[in-house]
Each structure stands twice: as structure tokens, then as C-alpha cells.
């Protein structure tokens, strides 16, 4: 299978080309991937629009017009950006897209999520060459900034009149790999909070024992939070809940001490201390209960503590319901999707909540059903890790799966008494 010939132009080499564009934060190149994708769109015969809701952060929309463009359309979304990679810790350079003799393609973004961005296009290329025409309009979007929260990307796009005009009935976004042989599918994301606690106290000599120092107060909270983390993790360890079904609260930084030229002053107890946490809430969690716990137990003013919580997403839609896409018979899109995957000989795992957070939350919060799906079976979960790779045969199988999924979804006539 190994070939590095320049002449070759195949789905795999196009995937490699896309992977070789460095779109990693903190300075993602957005111009190059957009121009690559525009070329692809042109060669397939898709129309395109580029929006810049925020300057320098383009949203690319490709469209395959349906024979009945009045029916609600379908969207396939992926993000252009990637998380950074520590080159020296990879066995192949992260932007080389090196393909080994046994078919592993190494690159940052191979799983998250440049695979789907190319698979959507390759599936449509194949469908077009077979003469298929969709009943419903099919859109593909490529958005910036997902890895840092989507605030200048999908959040803006989803809030725009251009997005409303798409008249979406259903959307698909990224999912995650599975080391096992079933395809995973996600019906909700957890919502992230950036949670910071701060303690103040009277400074004092390093040799003095006294109550209510900033450090003592902070450490008390750090311990309480660690205990809570343990109770949540225990549910997971006992097999009672998935990782994504509990509240996670993980320390990400600690900040304290009085700086000196060589490091820190060692014989002073500081007057301020701070800790930062990545906190994630599943859609069923009650944010008010969490806030009460924070105010009363984790950062109580009686211990001279303050806190800030930055909510990076919503848990409820405009009707106050948890933001989740039904994966049962009440959602016709679900049944169509499931059958389409099974028609390729694939098995679907039990639908899950995603432990992390994607742009699909912005679409779901508009009341539009979204499934998270990246067709990768028998693949270790390497998103954000060193040596991220995808096997060529897994990538190719994914194209076939999307051909089936796009065909089925775009052919859905709707339910007679509803316009879905
Ligand atoms: C503040 S939202 C951050 C979104 C990010 N997405 C992928 O990793 C995440 O941390 O899950
Ligand atoms: Zn992603
Ligand atoms: Zn990611």
C-alpha cells in the first residue's frame, strides 16, 4: 500500500495533503486549508461560500443542492483547527502525514478531526460519480476555533442569519475512535466550566503556626474538591456510570508563593493562593446545585475564599430541556442514521454522551438534532495525544459509511404531518 509518488491523487493522498497543513493552535493557518478544500469542492462540483464572522477566522460552507431544496437540509460539520503537537515526542513528525508500510497515517488531526472533513468530500465525490442526486440539500461546514471553544467559529456561525437560512433538519459533527469493533455515536456533550478558586490570608513568617493562611485555606478546598472528584470517579470505577456521565473536576494549575530571583521566598507564607480546575457537567446535572456546593463548601467566604466560574456552554435549550439529541424512535433521523451504518455491515455501539465538548452544542441548543460520529473502529483513542494516527483502511471504510449515511439522510422524504 506504501507509496509516496507525487503523481498519485487518491482519497488517501488527499487526506495526507490536508493533514500536512499545520492548523495547530496557537497560530492555526486557516488560509491554506480553506483553499485546499475549495479546490476539492470545485473538482467535485459543490458550490461554496466563505464567511468571516471574525476577521481571519473563516467559516467555509460547501453545498450540494437537493432536488427539493424546500425540505430542511442536512449539515456535516468539522473543524479546521487542531491542538498543538510536541514534535520531538512523536515517532513521525506531526505534520508529515507519514504512512507506514502497514498503513498507519501519522498526523496531528488524523483522528481529530481532519478524517471526517475529507471523508465527507470523498463520499460525495463517489456518490456524484455514481449519478446519485440528493432529495434534500446537503451542506458541509468547516469551522475555525473549535479546539479553543468555538467562540469565534461555530458559536458565531450558529447565531447568524446565514445559518438560519440553511433551514437545517439534522446535523452531524465529530465523534471519537473506538479500540473495539463498533462505531461510537454521541447524542450530547458535557459542558465545560473554567473554575478558579482564590484564597487570601494574612502573610506570616514561614516558621509560624497560625490559622487561616491563604495556603491553608486553599489547600482545604483542594482536598474537598479532590474528595468530590473521587466520589464521582468511584461511580465510573464501579461500572455504574461512564466517564462522561459524571461530573469531572480536574486541577489544571496552582498559583501561589512570593517570587524571588531564584524561585520563591521560602520563609514567607503568602497572602494569596489560587487553583484552577477544568470542570465538566453532563447535560442532566443541575448547574445550580454545583454552584451552591462551590459557594458553600469549596470557596466559602468564611475561609476568605472567592471563586469565578466561566461557563463555556449551556446545559439547557430555550425550553429549559437538557441539550440532548434523542436516539430512539421519536427521532426519525436516528433510525435512518442507524440503518445506514448497519447497511455497510457496521455495528453501532450504545449511544453515549461525549466526555469532552464539541461545536455540536451550539447547533443542538438551537433545537436541531445532532449526532457526533467519527467512523473509526479498531482504533486507539489518540485525540490530543502524541502519535495520533489513523489506518488507511479505517479511513477508506469511513468513506463508505458516509456514502451510505449521506444517501439515506438526504433521501428522507419526511413524515407526512410534520416538516422535519
Ligand atoms: C471551552 S470549550 C473547549 C472545547 C474543547 N474541544 C475539544 O477538545 C474541549 O476542551 O472539550
Ligand atoms: Zn475535534
Ligand atoms: Zn480536539
Amino acid at each position: 500500500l506504501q507509496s509516496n509518488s507525487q503523481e498519485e491523487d487518491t482519497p488517501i493522498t488527499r487526506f495526507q495533503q490536508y493533514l500536512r497543513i499545520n492548523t495547530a493552535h496557537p497560530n492555526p493557518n486557516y488560509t491554506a486549508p480553506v483553499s485546499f478544500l475549495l479546490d476539492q469542492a470545485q473538482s467535485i462540483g459543490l458550490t461554496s461560500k466563505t464567511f468571516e464572522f471574525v476577521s481571519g477566522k473563516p467559516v467555509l460552507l460547501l453545498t450540494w443542492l437537493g432536488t427539493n431544496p424546500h425540505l430542511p437540509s442536512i449539515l456535516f460539520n468539522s473543524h479546521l483547527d487542531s491542538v498543538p503537537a510536541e514534535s520531538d515526542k512523536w515517532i513521525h513528525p506531526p505534520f508529515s502525514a507519514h504512512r507506514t508500510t502497514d498503513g498507519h497515517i501519522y498526523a496531528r488531526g488524523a483522528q481529530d478531526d481532519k478524517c471526517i472533513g475529507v471523508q465527507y468530500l470523498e463520499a460525495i465525490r463517489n456518490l456524484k460519480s455514481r449519478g446519485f442526486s440528493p432529495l434534500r440539500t446537503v451542506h458541509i461546514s468547516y469551522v475555525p476555533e473549535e479546539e479553543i471553544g468555538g467562540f469565534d467559529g461555530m458559536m458565531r456561525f450558529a447565531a447568524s442569519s446565514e445559518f438560519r437560512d440553511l433551514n437545517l433538519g439534522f446535523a452531524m459533527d465529530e465523534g471519537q475512535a473506538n479500540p473495539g469493533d463498533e462505531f461510537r455515536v454521541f447524542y450530547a456533550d458535557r459542558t465545560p466550566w473554567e473554575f478558579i478558586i482564590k484564597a487570601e490570608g494574612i502573610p506570616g513568617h514561614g516558621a509560624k503556626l497560625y490559622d487561616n493562611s491563604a495556603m491553608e485555606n486553599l489547600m482545604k478546598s483542594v482536598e474537598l474538591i479532590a474528595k468530590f472528584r473521587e466520589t464521582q470517579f468511584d461511580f465510573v470505577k464501579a461500572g455504574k456510570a461512564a466517564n462522561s456521565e459524571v461530573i469531572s473536576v480536574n486541577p489544571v494549575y496552582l498559583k501561589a508563593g512570593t517570587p524571588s530571583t531564584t524561585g520563591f521566598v521560602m520563609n514567607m507564607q503568602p497572602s494569596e493562593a489560587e487553583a484552577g480546575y477544568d470542570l465538566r457537567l453532563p447535560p442532566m446535572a443541575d448547574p445550580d446545585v454545583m454552584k451552591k456546593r462551590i459557594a458553600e463548601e469549596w470557596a466559602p467566604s468564611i475561609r476568605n475564599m472567592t471563586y469565578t466560574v466561566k461557563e463555556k456552554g449551556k446545559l439547557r435549550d430555550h425550553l429549559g430541556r437538557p441539550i440532548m439529541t434523542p436516539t430512539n424512535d421519536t427521532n426519525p433521523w436516528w433510525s435512518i442514521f442507524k440503518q445506514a451504518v448497519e447497511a455497510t455491515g457496521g455495528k453501532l455501539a450504545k449511544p453515549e454522551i461525549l466526555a469532552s465538548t464539541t461545536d455540536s452544542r451550539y447547533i443542538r441548543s438551537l433545537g436541531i438534532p445532532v449526532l457526533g460520529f467519527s467512523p473509526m473502529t479498531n482504533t486507539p483513542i489518540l485525540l490530543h495525544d502524541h502519535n495520533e494516527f489513523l489506518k488507511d483502511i479505517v479511513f477508506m471504510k469511513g468513506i463508505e459509511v458516509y456514502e451510505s449515511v449521506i444517501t439515506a439522510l438526504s433521501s428522507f422524504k419526511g413524515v407526512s404531518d410534520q416538516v422535519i
Side-chain angles (χ1 to χ4, degrees):
L1 281 171
Q2 168 83 33
S3 176
N4 288 320
S5 148
Q6 290 297 305
E7 279 76 39
E8 249 197 318
D9 195 16
T10 67
I12 298 283
T13 61
R14 290 189 283 268
F15 180 37
Q16 286 173 302
Q17 267 181 278
Y18 189 45
L19 290 170
R20 288 185 183 126
I21 306 170
N22 184 340
T23 59
H25 287 280
N27 292 305
N29 175 356
Y30 287 132
T31 326
V34 168
S35 90
F36 169 82
L37 293 164
L38 280 171
D39 276 355
Q40 296 302 309
Q42 198 170 28
S43 77
I44 298 167
L46 301 174
T47 59
S48 64
K49 280 183 192 160
T50 312
F51 309 112
E52 274 199 36
F53 300 103
V54 177
S55 150
K57 298 177 180 179
V59 169
L60 175 65
L61 181 74
L62 306 179
T63 299
W64 189 13
L65 202 65
T67 53
N68 184 351
H70 302 295
L71 284 173
S73 64
I74 328 262
L75 174 72
F76 291 85
N77 180 59
S78 69
H79 56 86
L80 295 162
D81 56 325
S82 305
V83 289
E86 297 170 73
S87 283
D88 51 330
K89 296 184 180 152
W90 284 55
I91 54 176
H92 300 289
F95 298 99
S96 65
H98 177 79
R99 183 182 180 189
T100 63
T101 44
D102 56 354
H104 296 65
I105 300 165
Y106 284 88
R108 171 58 82 223
Q111 295 190 10
D112 179 14
D113 67 347
K114 289 179 171 169
C115 49
I116 59 170
V118 176
Q119 284 164 332
Y120 297 155
L121 291 174
E122 296 300 330
I124 291 177
R125 193 193 299 277
N126 292 344
L127 291 176
K128 277 203 157 199
S129 71
R130 289 207 292 271
F132 175 79
S133 50
L135 174 68
R136 292 173 190 257
T137 295
V138 176
H139 299 285
I140 315 180
S141 55
Y142 295 88
V143 297
E145 309 290 89
E146 188 279 339
E147 294 292 4
I148 56 168
F151 309 113
D152 288 349
M154 185 53 94
M155 190 180 92
R156 302 285 189 122
F157 184 33
S160 70
S161 59
E162 288 87 345
F163 192 89
R164 199 182 52 229
D165 292 346
L166 300 180
N167 184 27
L168 291 185
F170 177 69
M172 299 204 58
D173 201 344
E174 64 181 315
Q176 244 178 48
N178 187 5
D181 58 9
E182 294 176 326
F183 291 107
R184 299 172 74 193
V185 59
F186 301 88
Y187 61 91
D189 285 3
R190 290 197 301 177
T191 203
W193 285 5
E194 285 176 14
F195 168 50
I196 294 169
I197 51 174
K198 288 185 184 160
E200 282 186 26
I202 297 162
H205 197 288
K208 185 177 161 192
L209 276 171
Y210 62 98
D211 280 325
N212 279 316
S213 76
M215 281 300 245
E216 185 194 23
N217 280 327
L218 185 83
M219 291 314 291
K220 238 179 214 170
S221 293
V222 167
E223 281 166 25
L224 288 170
I225 296 168
K227 274 268 169 283
F228 176 83
R229 181 183 180 278
E230 216 175 295
T231 62
Q232 296 291 298
F233 203 5
D234 280 346
F235 279 102
V236 179
K237 288 175 180 165
K240 301 282 180 212
N243 239 304
S244 58
E245 290 168 347
V246 299
I247 297 169
S248 64
V249 54
N250 294 314
V252 291
Y253 76 83
L254 292 166
K255 197 165 108 187
T258 308
S260 75
T261 49
T262 51
F264 291 96
V265 178
M266 292 301 291
N267 62 352
M268 258 191 96
Q269 302 186 49
S271 67
E272 287 176 18
E274 176 178 329
Y277 289 87
D278 177 304
L279 192 155
R280 306 262 167 160
L281 292 159
M284 296 310 292
D286 185 338
D288 295 332
V289 170
M290 200 67 232
K291 282 183 187 154
K292 194 162 180 272
R293 188 188 294 274
I294 292 173
E296 290 176 2
E297 295 174 32
W298 295 354
S301 52
I302 49 161
R303 274 197 280 115
N304 292 332
M305 307 224 18
T306 55
Y307 67 93
T308 56
V309 168
K310 268 198 210 133
E311 300 184 36
K312 301 282 181 171
K314 292 190 295 182
L315 288 168
R316 313 261 152 189
D317 67 12
H318 62 290
L319 295 173
R321 299 168 305 194
I323 297 171
M324 298 191 286
T325 296
T327 47
N328 55 39
D329 292 343
T330 65
N331 176 7
W333 299 107
W334 162 251
S335 319
I336 295 165
F337 168 77
K338 187 168 183 284
Q339 280 167 29
V341 173
E342 287 167 354
T344 67
K347 272 181 289 183
L348 270 187
K350 192 169 162 271
E352 300 168 69
I353 297 170
L354 190 72
S356 58
T357 308
T358 68
D359 281 337
S360 55
R361 72 192 188 283
Y362 296 117
I363 309 176
R364 285 196 189 104
S365 68
L366 298 171
I368 298 164
V370 185
L371 293 176
F373 180 67
S374 297
M376 296 182 279
T377 57
N378 304 303
T379 301
I381 305 166
L382 292 169
L383 74 167
H384 299 204
D385 203 340
H386 303 317
N387 300 315
E388 182 177 354
F389 73 80
L390 187 60
K391 280 195 85 170
D392 50 10
I393 50 167
V394 176
F395 173 78
M396 292 305 294
K397 175 70 189 177
I399 297 173
E400 185 196 331
V401 170
Y402 279 119
E403 284 172 34
S404 178
V405 166
I406 293 170
T407 301
L409 294 171
S410 71
S411 303
F412 178 45
K413 293 193 179 67
V415 190
S416 53
D417 57 340
Q418 287 169 280
V419 182
I420 293 174

